[in-house]
Amino acid sequence: MIDKPLFGATILLLLIGLIMSYSLSTYATIQHGYTDTHFFIRQLIAVGIGITLIITLSKLNPDKWFRPIGIFLFLTFLFILLLMPFLSESFVRSVGGAKRWINLGSVSITPVEFYKIGFIMFISWSLVRTRLPKGRMPLGDEIKTFIPYVVILIVSTLLIAVFQKDLGQTVVISATLLVLFLLVGSSFRFFSILFGIGFTGFILLIITQPHRLKRIQEWFLSFDNEANRLETYQISNSLDAINHGGFWGQGIGNGQYKLGFLSEVHTDFVLSGIMEELGFIAIFVVVLTMLFILFRIFKIAARVENPVYYLFCVGVALLLAFSFLINSFGISGITPIKGIAVPFLSYGGSQIIASSLSVGLVLMISKKVIPRRD
């Protein structure tokens, strides 16, 4: 039996995101000359594909399909990421010099969303083979064992943070990998060294890119009210939208800040839009549902015998949690905005399908949990 509560909670968030994609896209449809249902229909198709993936994957045998799916996702989307910087703009859409989207006729995909899942699947499978059986190791041997994974992370960072200018996704992947290293038995000394190198690299990626430095400066300026109005328009309006929603919200369809005051409110700022229209009570339900999803995934991880499945489930939970936290902190002004989508809620087919894919794989694994012995 699959984990039905996890399936139900995921469907709930997908449906909330679908409804809000219609309500919050009002200004975008007018701005681009689309029909009222343009974004809703595209999101509906993505949600339909996502639910179909969840159901299909949940029926498969993980012992037979987990490894092939993981290797396919990792190698295929790694190859696509390597190829993207060299493709013309007729194939790869560029926004602000960042090539993050591949054009496929009337739709586009974001390969990094699928690469993250393949990356975690491959790392989970490989760590169990190369690190877990060795137990405690001298620091030198430990470094040698982990070097290939660090190289893969560096390559991923170059492809995602440098060529695609997407530091947020790099932070999510790096933080998840560090936790997985701890879970397979890395020493605190090695973890500290790796964290120090990662933090140094993170700082270098910021100071070498003017647009990232500007975001940091704007974030600091947001603590000054006058500067906030002049320099941090998005954060200011996001906070105003959150405040405007109150406890019960203004009512679905009645939000004011979606009318051009918050750009991409149906994508990166979807939580602000939900808060304004449906209020604190809706955000409470969303947060509670996300926490419940994470709880169910961690519970599945704790009850499977196969360490590869354990690491992957933990990795999926961390990908979802870090993405949700980074977005939430960004729209609240706690941290700089990183452009990370909210899993299951933000508009975007790649994000919806990739998030559903990850849950489908976890549900596939959930059939292998050890039954309780009461």
Side-chain angles (χ1 to χ4, degrees):
M1 290 287 290
I2 65 168
D3 192 291
K4 292 181 180 179
L6 173 59
F7 176 76
T10 302
I11 297 300
L12 175 60
L13 284 190
L14 286 172
L15 293 178
I16 292 173
L18 178 61
I19 293 169
M20 297 313 297
S21 71
Y22 178 75
S23 178
L24 298 178
S25 61
T26 303
Y27 181 77
T29 57
I30 297 172
Q31 185 182 32
H32 297 290
Y34 297 143
T35 61
D36 291 346
T37 57
H38 174 83
F39 292 103
F40 174 79
I41 291 173
R42 293 166 75 91
Q43 189 80 337
L44 177 62
I45 293 171
V47 169
I49 294 173
I51 294 175
T52 302
L53 263 179
I54 292 174
I55 295 173
T56 302
L57 289 171
S58 68
K59 295 179 181 296
L60 299 179
N61 181 358
D63 294 338
K64 180 180 179 180
W65 290 101
F66 181 85
R67 181 180 168 187
I69 292 174
I71 293 175
F72 171 79
L73 286 173
F74 177 69
L75 293 180
T76 300
F77 287 98
L78 176 60
F79 176 74
I80 292 174
L81 289 177
L82 287 167
L83 197 62
M84 285 178 70
F86 306 103
L87 296 177
S88 66
E89 290 207 9
S90 60
F91 293 102
V92 180
R93 182 158 55 96
S94 177
V95 178
K99 293 184 175 182
R100 300 179 187 175
W101 301 270
I102 292 182
N103 293 322
L104 298 174
S106 60
V107 299
S108 60
I109 65 169
T110 313
V112 69
E113 295 287 354
F114 299 94
Y115 174 73
K116 289 188 300 183
I117 303 170
F119 178 83
I120 296 302
M121 294 180 79
F122 174 78
I123 293 297
S124 300
W125 169 74
S126 185
L127 280 175
V128 170
R129 293 176 63 252
T130 60
R131 175 62 185 92
L132 196 61
K134 297 180 180 179
R136 295 177 63 89
M137 301 170 62
L139 181 60
D141 292 341
E142 194 173 10
I143 291 174
K144 291 177 183 177
T145 301
F146 281 109
I147 279 179
Y149 303 104
V150 176
V151 171
I152 293 173
L153 180 61
I154 291 172
V155 171
S156 301
T157 300
L158 288 173
L159 294 173
I160 300 170
V162 177
F163 292 121
Q164 297 195 358
K165 298 183 180 180
D166 193 348
L167 185 59
Q169 297 285 14
T170 304
V171 171
V172 170
I173 292 175
S174 301
T176 302
L177 184 61
L178 281 175
V179 176
L180 294 185
F181 279 172
L182 280 177
L183 292 177
V184 294
S186 66
S187 65
F188 182 75
R189 286 185 302 168
F190 174 76
F191 178 81
S192 301
I193 292 170
L194 199 59
F195 180 81
I197 294 172
F199 184 75
T200 302
F202 177 75
I203 298 299
L204 288 174
L205 287 171
I206 291 176
I207 64 177
T208 55
Q209 294 292 329
H211 72 282
R212 290 181 185 139
L213 273 176
K214 184 181 179 182
R215 280 185 179 177
I216 297 294
Q217 292 167 353
E218 289 178 351
W219 176 64
F220 279 112
L221 284 170
S222 68
F223 293 103
D224 176 75
N225 288 333
E226 182 178 355
N228 182 37
R229 294 295 176 180
L230 297 173
E231 302 290 340
T232 56
Y233 183 80
Q234 284 288 80
I235 295 177
S236 173
N237 284 331
S238 175
L239 293 173
D240 288 343
I242 292 171
N243 182 63
H244 191 225
F247 192 83
W248 296 109
Q250 299 299 311
I252 191 164
N254 295 327
Q256 301 298 311
Y257 286 86
K258 67 182 180 183
L259 303 177
F261 299 100
L262 265 178
S263 64
E264 308 299 330
V265 65
H266 57 304
T267 57
D268 296 345
F269 287 88
V270 65
L271 292 178
S272 300
I274 292 174
M275 179 65 190
E276 184 187 14
E277 296 199 348
L278 300 179
F280 171 80
I281 189 69
I283 289 296
F284 180 76
V285 170
V286 166
V287 172
L288 201 63
T289 306
M290 180 59 70
L291 289 174
F292 181 75
I293 287 173
L294 298 178
F295 167 73
R296 298 304 303 186
I297 295 176
F298 281 126
K299 188 172 183 179
I300 292 168
R303 294 175 60 190
V304 292
E305 291 183 317
N306 191 322
V308 176
Y309 298 160
Y310 165 75
L311 286 179
F312 174 72
C313 289
V314 172
V316 167
L318 293 174
L319 288 178
L320 296 175
F322 287 141
S323 297
F324 191 86
L325 286 175
I326 290 173
N327 183 281
S328 301
F329 287 175
I331 67 162
S332 305
I334 298 173
T335 60
I337 298 171
K338 298 309 302 171
I340 293 285
V342 183
F344 312 111
L345 292 174
S346 292
Y347 171 81
S350 294
Q351 177 273 131
I352 291 293
I353 295 171
S355 298
S356 300
L357 174 64
S358 65
V359 170
L361 290 166
V362 172
L363 287 174
M364 180 173 70
I365 291 170
S366 71
K367 294 182 296 186
K368 292 292 182 178
V369 298
I370 303 171
R372 278 187 173 183
R373 297 177 181 176
D374 295 326

